[in-house]
Structure formats: structure tokens, C-alpha cells
Amino acid sequence: MRKFYLAFLLMISGTMVILPSVKAISESNEKHQHFTVSEQGYSISLPNEYTLQKEEDGKDILFSNKTPYTWMRIEVLSGKESASKSYLDCSKELFDDQFGKSLKTSSTSLFIQPVLFASTAGSKKETAKLYVLRETKGHAALKITMVTAKNSDDEKKLISIVNSVKTHE
């Protein structure tokens, strides 16, 4: 019986030590994020190492302060524009002109939902991806051009940023 109480006390004290440390980790992660509101009418959650700036009307550009070659352009589209076949063809042509011949990867993505069109191109130093996202409830239709350094973890960070976009109504 004594062993049972001793084990129970150890379990309770271990929980008391673990819970504050888990809370400290989540608070630490929150301190490294900030919400930014775009002039295009959406809010986005950014890690502190990223900066969002207006590039031109209807387009924002996001830069990494730490990693060279890492940036992302976000263009807000109308629902009709994003579904237009000619708009998708034109987007791919512009992307190919800037980054070289690209391959259509798919019309779906495991990471970003819901994707209407995706294309990938690359060079020795960087990988470029184009996503055209359908308009959904609470989310604007977006055209995302994402450039990351080859073999870096930046793409996962940028995808989590894309998934944090919320449209203001």
C-alpha cells in the first residue's frame, strides 16, 4: 500500500512539473507570432522572422528576414477570376516567364485547401511554386507564388502562413 501512495505522489508531482513547462512552450510560440492585417482585406498570422508588405494594388509580398531566396507573393482574386480557364493559363505563362518551364503538380494539395491549380519550377538555388486557391467561406480566392531555398524547411512555414489567412467580412 505504501508503494502505491509513493507512486501516486510521484505521478502528481511529475504532472505539476510537466504542465507549467507545456504552458511555457505554448506561450513561447505565441510570442514568436504576430497577426498582420493586409490592405487587401485579410489577416495573416506571421512568425516574427517574416514581414508582409504591400507590393502593388491587390498584391502583398512576404519576406523572410532570416533565409535568403525565401519570399511569397499573395494576390487576392475574385471568385470568378480564380475559376477562369484563361486566368489560370495566363498565371502559368507569367510564372513560367519568371521561373522557367513549370510542371502542373495537381489541382489538389495535402497541405493547402482548396487548391484549384498548382505548378512547380526551380533552379539550382530555389524552388518556386504557384497555387491558385478557390474562394471558400471565410477565405478569399488567392494566387500564391512561393519561392524557397532548395532543400529548406521554409516551404512548411510558408504553407502554415497561407493556411492562417482569414478574410474580413
Side-chain angles (χ1 to χ4, degrees):
M1 188 74 153
R2 188 175 180 183
K3 288 182 183 178
F4 170 76
Y5 287 118
L6 198 58
F8 182 70
L9 285 173
L10 283 172
M11 184 178 76
I12 291 173
S13 64
T15 304
M16 294 163 102
V17 169
I18 292 170
L19 289 177
S21 65
V22 169
K23 184 178 178 187
I25 289 169
S26 67
E27 286 174 357
S28 166
N29 286 341
E30 288 174 12
K31 290 178 185 174
H32 296 295
Q33 297 271 332
H34 62 280
F35 282 97
T36 301
V37 178
S38 163
E39 290 181 28
Q40 277 37 276
Y42 65 87
S43 63
I44 189 167
S45 178
L46 295 176
N48 285 338
E49 69 263 21
Y50 290 92
T51 304
L52 184 72
Q53 299 173 0
K54 180 178 177 179
E55 184 178 31
E56 58 185 65
D57 285 341
K59 294 180 186 177
D60 291 326
I61 192 150
L62 183 139
F63 290 103
S64 169
N65 303 326
K66 291 185 176 181
T67 312
Y69 306 109
T70 298
W71 57 271
M72 180 168 62
R73 179 178 295 116
I74 302 171
E75 183 177 351
V76 179
L77 309 171
S78 72
K80 291 177 185 176
E81 190 178 40
S82 67
S84 160
K85 177 78 170 146
S86 62
Y87 181 80
L88 296 176
D89 291 342
C90 180
S91 294
K92 185 177 183 316
E93 285 175 22
L94 290 170
F95 183 77
D96 288 352
D97 286 346
Q98 188 172 4
F99 299 104
K101 186 73 175 146
S102 67
L103 298 171
K104 180 179 177 187
T105 52
S106 107
S107 58
T108 60
S109 169
L110 297 174
F111 308 108
I112 303 175
Q113 296 292 338
V115 172
L116 185 63
F117 179 83
S119 196
T120 303
S123 69
K124 289 181 181 178
K125 294 183 179 180
E126 62 190 19
T127 300
K129 294 197 174 185
L130 169 69
Y131 295 100
V132 177
L133 281 66
R134 289 186 197 107
E135 186 172 11
T136 61
K137 185 177 180 184
H139 295 1
L142 301 174
K143 177 181 166 186
I144 307 285
T145 304
M146 184 184 300
V147 177
T148 57
K150 275 269 198 232
N151 302 319
S152 73
D153 291 331
D154 294 330
E155 184 176 3
K156 292 175 190 170
K157 291 178 189 175
L158 293 178
I159 286 172
S160 72
I161 291 169
V162 169
N163 287 330
S164 78
V165 171
K166 299 282 188 251
T167 304
H168 299 277
E169 298 192 30

